[in-house]
Amino acid sequence: MNTSKTIKVAPVEDEDIATCFRIVSESFGHDAPFVDIYFPRHDTLSGQVQGASRLLAWKKNSSDSVFLKAVTSIDDDMSMGDILGMAVWTHMKDIPPQKLEDAENVEEVWPDVDDRKFMTALWEDYVKPRSQAVRDSHGSGVFGSWTQSHMTE
């Protein structure tokens, strides 16, 4: 890896997704239960292929999400070097799918029935507060809801 004290933030390109997913997998390892269950077998080649494919589909199909990467800068003109990390920012304006099967191919991603049941329940808990925040924003998105409520205090 190139050494540099300068970090640049740039949009994730489609061709970066496999590298970004590998970074997520290696960064979290098995210390983040949500990553483990949402991206089954993420530490295997087949799990990384599947996870990267799902991440790319999310990137391509979500107009509310911005995928960014942190990269080293290797020279004065800010050419990009190695990817150090990635993040996804989502400004939710629409209520997310309430059922996991409306967002994912559950049989393919979670072939184990117990894993599928657990992830389905986790998804339902995950979307409840997000859905409420979107409803409370009255069309301005979750950020708008937060801004409005905090500006009146």
Side-chain angles (χ1 to χ4, degrees):
M1 180 166 80
N2 298 313
T3 58
S4 172
K5 292 183 180 180
T6 305
I7 306 296
K8 183 176 181 180
V9 175
V12 171
E13 303 297 334
D14 291 354
E15 59 269 13
D16 297 327
I17 289 289
T19 299
C20 288
F21 186 79
R22 192 179 76 249
I23 290 169
V24 168
S25 174
E26 291 176 8
S27 296
F28 287 103
H30 293 289
D31 295 325
F34 185 82
V35 172
D36 276 345
I37 193 65
Y38 193 67
F39 294 110
R41 304 169 314 283
H42 65 85
D43 58 346
T44 67
L45 180 58
S46 63
Q48 287 185 7
V49 168
Q50 182 189 69
S53 174
R54 290 172 54 219
L55 201 62
L56 181 60
W58 177 15
K59 179 182 176 294
K60 287 183 172 186
N61 296 318
S62 175
S63 61
D64 295 335
S65 296
V66 176
F67 286 65
L68 298 173
K69 61 186 175 185
V71 295
T72 58
S73 175
I74 58 175
D75 56 31
D76 291 337
D77 71 356
M78 296 297 286
S79 296
M80 288 184 272
D82 298 307
I83 299 174
L84 302 174
M86 63 96 54
V88 181
W89 277 266
T90 300
H91 181 198
M92 287 186 161
K93 296 179 187 172
D94 298 314
I95 294 173
Q98 300 300 290
K99 299 289 182 187
L100 183 60
E101 60 266 17
D102 294 336
E104 299 281 356
N105 182 338
V106 294
E107 288 83 15
E108 180 181 310
V109 177
W110 298 277
D112 180 89
V113 174
D114 290 334
D115 287 350
R116 189 177 325 132
K117 285 180 183 177
F118 180 78
M119 186 60 221
T120 297
L122 183 61
W123 179 266
E124 290 174 11
D125 285 343
Y126 172 82
V127 299
K128 284 178 187 174
R130 286 155 181 81
S131 298
Q132 188 60 50
V134 170
R135 281 191 288 277
D136 291 347
S137 78
H138 305 290
S140 60
V142 174
F143 176 77
S145 174
W146 183 87
T147 302
Q148 292 167 1
S149 67
H150 286 81
M151 290 180 72
T152 59
E153 292 178 356

